[in-house]
Amino acid sequence: MKNYITLWVFLTIFATSITSCETSDLNTDNQKENLFLEKISQWNLTNIKGGLLGLNENYETGAVKWTFNSKNSTLSIENNNQKDANLDIIKSGNYHYYIVNNKDMLYLYIEDFEFGHIIREQNTLKIDQGNTTNGPLTDGYILNFKK
């Protein structure tokens, strides 16, 4: 009986989290996010920190480049990191992305998976994986980028 209650609680929480973002939000807010991204072109990863082990890894300019193409919703990642990196968040390649506005906060989705809260301030970009649409995570990473 205890297993059924646990399963029911899990399924209820899961169903609630899936339905918390309406498709109308995705469609109407998509135009705002595309305006946000039109200003984004190529970003250089400068630092990754966080996670369970407290990683704090700095990157040289040009070692890891993320290029957002808002016309076809493609993120191109070029990883030229020559040093022994403790962590490569995403391998080099082309990925489909989109941004969701949830309670006036922007969240980046890559290949339909929530990647993190995205914040742009002039020539800097921060992606906080510890801040999700479902609440905070204790083991997320923070990725910092510069133009």
Side-chain angles (χ1 to χ4, degrees), residues 15-31:
T16 303
S17 67
I18 288 175
T19 59
S20 66
C21 183
E22 297 178 15
T23 56
S24 63
D25 290 342
L26 295 176
N27 295 333
T28 57
D29 291 330
N30 223 6
Q31 292 175 345

Side-chain angles (χ1 to χ4, degrees), residues 3-17:
N3 288 336
Y4 289 118
I5 293 172
T6 303
L7 179 62
W8 180 81
V9 169
F10 174 76
L11 289 175
T12 302
I13 292 171
F14 181 72
T16 303
S17 67

Side-chain angles (χ1 to χ4, degrees), residues 17 20-22 25-27 29-34 36-37 40 66 68 73 75 96-120 125-137 140-142:
S17 67
S20 66
C21 183
E22 297 178 15
D25 290 342
L26 295 176
N27 295 333
D29 291 330
N30 223 6
Q31 292 175 345
K32 282 193 273 182
E33 281 68 58
N34 282 337
F36 171 80
L37 286 175
I40 298 175
W66 286 33
F68 292 87
S73 299
L75 168 61
H96 175 264
Y97 81 92
Y98 57 93
I99 293 183
V100 171
N101 184 339
N102 184 7
K103 299 179 184 173
D104 293 327
M105 296 178 73
L106 301 178
Y107 294 89
L108 175 65
Y109 282 74
I110 301 174
E111 296 295 329
D112 292 325
F113 291 101
E114 184 176 347
F115 194 74
H117 176 226
I118 185 169
I119 302 166
R120 179 176 181 199
L125 180 70
K126 179 169 94 171
I127 301 172
D128 183 357
Q129 293 185 316
N131 188 346
T132 71
T133 55
N134 292 322
L137 296 176
Y141 293 98
I142 297 174

Side-chain angles (χ1 to χ4, degrees), residues 63-83:
V64 181
K65 299 176 195 172
W66 286 33
T67 304
F68 292 87
N69 182 335
S70 62
K71 289 186 179 185
N72 62 11
S73 299
T74 301
L75 168 61
S76 298
I77 297 176
E78 182 182 340
N79 188 342
N80 298 311
N81 190 20
Q82 298 298 319
K83 65 180 181 176

